[in-house]
Amino acid sequence: MSGDMVLFDSSKGVAAWTSNTSHFSVTSAALLDNGNLVLLNRNQAVVWESFRTPSDTLLPGQNLSVFQTLRAASRNDVSSYYSLAMDTLGQLKLCWETNICYWKSESSSSQIRGATFTKDGALQLVDQRFRPIWSKFGEDHNDSSVKFRFLRLDVDGNLRMHSWDEASKSWKSVWQAVENQCNVFATCGRCGVCVFTPTASTLCKCPYGFVADSNSKCLAPYTQKCSSGSTMVALEHTFLYGLYPPNDLITQSSLEQCRNSCLQDPLCTSVTVTNDGTGQCRKKQTHFITGYEHPSITSISLIKVCLDPIAVLPKTLPASSPSSPPPSLNKRSRGFCLPCLIGAATGTLIAFILIQIGIGLCLFKRRKAIPRRGSLAAMDPNSRDLIALSYSEIKDLTSNFKHQLGPKVFKGVLPNDRTVAIKDLKGIERRVRTIEERQFRGKISVIGSIHHKNLLKLEGYCCESDHRFLVYEYAKNGSVDKWIEETKLSKRLTWRKRIELCLGVARAMAYLHMGCREFVSHGNLKWENVVLDEDLETKVTEFGLGRIGSGSLHNGGDAEEDVARFGEMIVLVVSGCQGGGDACRWAYEEWVVGQSERVLDVRIEGGVDPEELERMLRLAFWCVQVDEWLRPPMGEVVKVLEGTLPVDPPPFPFTCRRPPEEIHSELELENIESSP
């Protein structure tokens, strides 16, 4: 027995989660009377407990610390966007994703130790001595007849206390954080506008007159292909906001100016005028729009629609441009149009003949352009065909390996004066050099067929006797590790550029892992193998070389290894290689005590977004988890970097566990010793 508790996904045949306790000599598990599931070692000491790893629920007596998060259950296979967490100031926040918070506790203090849910039905923030600073009580607070309670972040994004009603034999809600469910961000999501009914329930209504069910989508109807112009539909007592992205463009203007601004903006889909004295015009440029409606709301929202006939059109404001076409233009002839039919048939025949001629010419040119072995002039930068070169030609291209760009990488110049980079595989494993020529060519052809904007293009190769070379396109600005290490170059790596570097690598790796016909791992992912072209665009190089000497095309462990190396790369590009040999452990210990800014490279100019820094570090620590099942796939990594997927605080990622509490205590001791 390894001592791990494992949740197994039978549908996929893999472990979905593990307690990561194999090194703690676990001998037994026990479910305590308070609902806490614990793992015990041979000394009956608790080495893991469910109370320290909450999901969406707190039981009486359970605490929520600064570095823990409740995540609502999901309605589908994508993680829920709703979370409850405590910031470093001790304030509880309900948020959608990580930056849109729609509820928070009224009290905040650096002295707050955490939140707790009490046995008598209260949610409290407590100080270092466990004295309550802020409290919220359920309807049945201190009712001794209630035997069972729990606090849960429900799937709809609202935080509620639930109590067991013995009379009805059911759970009932006795408190909720947001009284009006429509005030929970994105309650209706893509199903329209939220309406709070007199019965205290919510209804998702599409602005065009039908009630949206849970599977339908109510998107902004405007497209830029309106043949007859556009106008604005008015929705009174309605506040709208965008979802993807959730960023409204806010200006100060009147209702008329706001309406005209949207009509003149081809990207605008709707606007909301607050009409409360602030004069806000909130413009949206997304089709994913939601909001809420209530008679007490003074806001007026306007949705842009085409003037083409629609089935249902609510109250419409006069359009400023262009006007409706005369009725005669909207009438469609129902008669048989013989000239139209003849014209259409003739046009179709001509188009068919031209297409056939074009296909024939393309095939003829391609047949002539097939490169022959030893034909340097045939190396076309726009071609996707690999060319085989002789060793003597490699020596000619590199002027007998005169200009070295990096380890076993040389600069070469083609007859057309185009520069290439030539990699000598002599430094790779011996089995790559001794592999059968036909097998080598076959595997190189697979790598050469992979094309992505963030992958360095493989243009040719040499496989002659024991000589093995790869010919890549040339990246003018060299490898990223040089930019990180050199002070002058690193100053050009702004915070935004460093995020773009990580995103480019992540997209390339996601494509290799999931976008190719065959799975391809990198096997040696590091900033040394990421280069920048003349536009400073990210290009990953030397991908797939580990598979040349291997008979296996797919190994799940290879994917997890690439993810772990990528996590280390995030820490290095954020910190500028600070923290010594174990930069990840150092960065984690700074982050876990709320000192993320200490991890930052001091050479970064132009400022850093704290939320983006938090997201980057959380992602890095998920990627380097010692338990490979906890590492995210590269597809999810891309979404986190793009900001479309939230990321929770990670568990301790390393083998030798130093609990966050121990790190906190050490930091407090240092502060005491350093104080006068």
Side-chain angles (χ1 to χ4, degrees):
M1 296 177 60
S2 65
D4 274 332
M5 182 167 62
V6 179
L7 290 179
F8 193 76
D9 187 342
S10 59
S11 62
K12 298 180 180 179
V14 297
W17 174 87
T18 175
S19 62
N20 193 26
T21 52
S22 58
H23 51 288
F24 286 131
S25 303
V26 175
T27 58
S28 62
L31 181 62
L32 306 183
D33 291 341
N34 62 358
N36 191 11
L37 178 62
V38 298
L39 299 182
L40 308 172
N41 61 17
R42 61 173 59 92
N43 298 322
Q44 294 300 291
V46 175
V47 297
W48 180 92
E49 56 181 314
S50 61
F51 270 23
R52 287 187 176 272
T53 55
S55 53
D56 63 350
T57 302
L58 291 182
L59 297 179
Q62 188 172 0
N63 301 323
L64 185 72
S65 68
V66 175
F67 300 103
Q68 292 177 326
T69 300
L70 293 189
R71 173 75 63 184
S74 177
R75 291 188 173 97
N76 48 46
D77 58 354
V78 178
S79 298
S80 172
Y81 290 105
Y82 293 115
S83 65
L84 173 73
M86 183 183 300
D87 61 20
T88 53
L89 295 178
Q91 193 169 50
L92 278 177
K93 291 183 178 181
L94 283 174
C95 297
W96 186 84
E97 290 196 332
T98 56
N99 57 339
I100 306 235
C101 297
Y102 49 88
W103 176 88
K104 58 185 177 182
S105 57
E106 293 87 355
S107 177
S108 64
S109 169
S110 59
Q111 299 301 315
I112 291 178
R113 184 184 184 92
T116 185
F117 182 53
T118 67
K119 296 179 180 180
D120 52 6
L123 173 62
Q124 296 180 333
L125 295 178
V126 297
D127 63 13
Q128 299 298 327
R129 298 183 180 180
F130 293 96
R131 296 175 301 188
I133 296 177
W134 171 90
S135 301
K136 286 294 180 181
F137 304 101
E139 297 173 1
D140 56 2
H141 175 63
N142 274 337
D143 186 345
S144 59
S145 65
V146 178
K147 302 299 183 184
F148 305 105
R149 293 184 171 95
F150 65 87
L151 179 78
R152 183 175 64 197
L153 178 55
D154 287 330
V155 68
D156 60 6
N158 213 334
L159 181 67
R160 295 183 178 89
M161 290 184 199
H162 298 271
S163 296
W164 178 255
D165 183 16
E166 191 63 34
S168 62
K169 301 294 184 183
S170 63
W171 293 99
K172 67 175 183 179
S173 174
V174 294
W175 174 84
Q176 63 183 44
V178 184
E179 288 299 324
N180 186 339
Q181 181 62 32
C182 288
N183 290 334
V184 174
F185 192 87
T187 286
C188 287
R190 292 177 289 180
C191 297
V193 174
C194 181
V195 180
F196 195 66
T197 67
T199 60
S201 61
T202 57
L203 178 70
C204 293
K205 182 180 72 173
C206 194
Y208 289 93
F210 65 86
V211 177
D213 59 40
S214 60
N215 296 317
S216 62
K217 295 179 181 179
C218 180
L219 307 181
Y222 173 72
T223 65
Q224 298 183 37
K225 299 180 181 179
C226 293
S227 59
S228 305
S230 59
T231 187
M232 304 297 287
V233 174
L235 303 173
E236 297 183 352
H237 308 296
T238 304
F239 186 92
L240 298 180
Y241 50 85
L243 272 183
Y244 309 106
N247 302 320
D248 292 358
L249 304 177
I250 303 176
T251 58
Q252 305 289 325
S253 65
S254 65
L255 173 63
E256 185 69 16
Q257 291 171 333
C258 188
R259 177 176 65 86
N260 291 339
S261 173
C262 186
L263 282 170
Q264 294 165 10
D265 184 351
L267 299 179
C268 178
T269 58
S270 66
V271 292
T272 292
V273 181
T274 54
N275 207 25
D276 57 358
T278 61
Q280 280 192 356
C281 171
R282 306 175 67 92
K283 184 188 295 185
K284 286 150 275 291
Q285 296 182 337
T286 174
H287 289 275
F288 299 99
I289 295 172
T290 186
Y292 47 89
E293 173 189 319
H294 195 270
S296 64
I297 298 175
T298 59
S299 303
I300 298 176
S301 294
L302 308 169
I303 297 183
K304 187 189 289 188
V305 297
C306 293
L307 277 171
D308 302 332
I310 57 176
V312 179
L313 186 64
K315 178 180 176 181
T316 306
L317 295 180
S320 59
S321 69
S323 59
S324 300
S328 60
L329 293 179
N330 289 329
K331 293 182 181 179
R332 299 178 181 177
S333 173
R334 298 186 182 182
F336 183 75
C337 180
L338 182 60
C340 297
L341 180 62
I342 295 175
T346 304
T348 302
L349 180 61
I350 293 174
F352 177 76
I353 294 173
L354 291 175
I355 290 173
Q356 295 300 315
I357 293 174
I359 292 174
L361 288 175
C362 288
L363 292 175
F364 176 73
K365 289 181 178 180
R366 183 174 180 181
R367 186 171 299 167
K368 288 183 64 179
I370 294 177
R372 294 185 299 274
R373 178 180 177 89
S375 180
L376 285 174
M379 293 192 73
D380 180 4
N382 299 316
S383 172
R384 291 199 169 191
D385 295 320
L386 289 179
I387 186 169
L389 301 173
S390 66
Y391 179 61
S392 61
E393 287 173 328
I394 292 291
K395 292 177 67 176
D396 290 340
L397 289 179
T398 60
S399 299
N400 200 20
F401 308 104
K402 181 178 180 181
H403 303 289
Q404 188 165 357
L405 300 175
K408 299 293 182 179
V409 180
F410 301 90
K411 184 178 181 179
V413 180
L414 299 178
N416 60 4
D417 293 328
R418 189 163 61 88
T419 305
V420 291
I422 298 178
K423 171 74 174 181
D424 184 359
L425 297 184
K426 189 174 292 184
I428 312 297
E429 299 179 37
R430 175 180 174 83
R431 59 182 179 179
V432 174
R433 292 184 282 118
T434 58
I435 189 173
E436 181 186 2
E437 183 173 331
R438 185 175 63 177
Q439 187 180 4
F440 177 86
R441 293 176 187 275
K443 295 195 174 186
I444 286 296
S445 67
V446 174
I447 297 175
S449 67
I450 300 172
H451 302 279
H452 187 274
K453 64 176 291 186
N454 294 118
L455 293 173
L456 197 68
K457 181 183 177 184
L458 180 64
E459 298 192 350
Y461 65 93
C462 169
C463 180
E464 183 178 282
S465 184
D466 62 342
H467 299 294
R468 302 285 191 270
F469 292 88
L470 298 180
V471 182
Y472 289 99
E473 65 174 314
Y474 179 68
K476 181 179 179 180
N477 284 299
S479 61
V480 175
D481 68 318
K482 177 184 67 175
W483 285 70
I484 296 175
E485 292 172 2
E486 295 183 12
T487 302
K488 185 176 179 180
L489 291 176
S490 67
K491 290 183 177 180
R492 295 179 60 187
L493 295 181
T494 63
W495 176 249
R496 180 57 46 200
K497 185 59 187 177
R498 294 179 191 228
I499 293 180
E500 290 175 0
L501 291 177
C502 293
L503 185 55
V505 175
R507 286 171 173 162
M509 296 309 303
Y511 182 76
L512 290 176
H513 288 185
M514 298 174 289
C516 299
R517 290 191 298 268
E518 301 180 45
F519 168 87
V520 177
S521 66
H522 191 288
N524 191 27
L525 190 59
K526 53 186 176 181
W527 286 120
E528 183 182 326
N529 290 330
V530 180
V531 295
L532 300 175
D533 64 12
E534 59 182 355
D535 298 320
L536 295 183
E537 289 293 326
T538 309
K539 302 279 187 179
V540 177
T541 184
E542 298 193 17
F543 54 91
L545 295 189
R547 73 190 296 280
I548 296 177
S550 170
S552 174
L553 299 182
H554 174 73
N555 185 343
D558 292 343
E560 281 73 34
E561 182 66 18
D562 285 344
V563 172
R565 298 292 77 78
F566 180 74
E568 295 173 359
M569 291 169 67
I570 293 179
V571 173
L572 291 178
V573 79
V574 168
S575 66
C577 298
Q578 299 177 33
D582 197 350
C584 290
R585 183 180 294 273
W586 161 78
Y588 179 82
E589 293 188 355
E590 295 290 354
W591 169 81
V592 81
V593 296
Q595 301 292 344
S596 299
E597 67 278 1
R598 293 186 182 178
V599 180
L600 273 175
D601 188 348
V602 296
R603 300 170 296 179
I604 297 178
E605 297 180 350
V608 173
D609 187 331
E611 291 185 358
E612 290 180 337
L613 174 60
E614 177 72 11
R615 184 168 68 234
M616 292 283 282
L617 291 179
R618 287 186 181 187
L619 177 61
F621 301 141
W622 275 112
C623 290
V624 299
Q625 290 288 318
V626 67
D627 183 356
E628 64 180 26
W629 293 108
L630 294 178
R631 299 173 194 168
M634 290 306 301
E636 289 187 7
V637 170
V638 171
K639 292 179 181 178
V640 171
L641 290 172
E642 291 174 339
T644 60
L645 187 68
V647 56
D648 290 337
F652 187 82
F654 309 111
T655 303
C656 297
R657 186 179 183 90
R658 283 189 69 202
E661 295 84 355
E662 179 183 321
I663 299 172
H664 272 290
S665 300
E666 183 179 299
L667 181 68
E668 291 174 359
L669 182 60
E670 290 177 358
N671 292 336
I672 293 172
E673 292 176 346
S674 61
S675 60

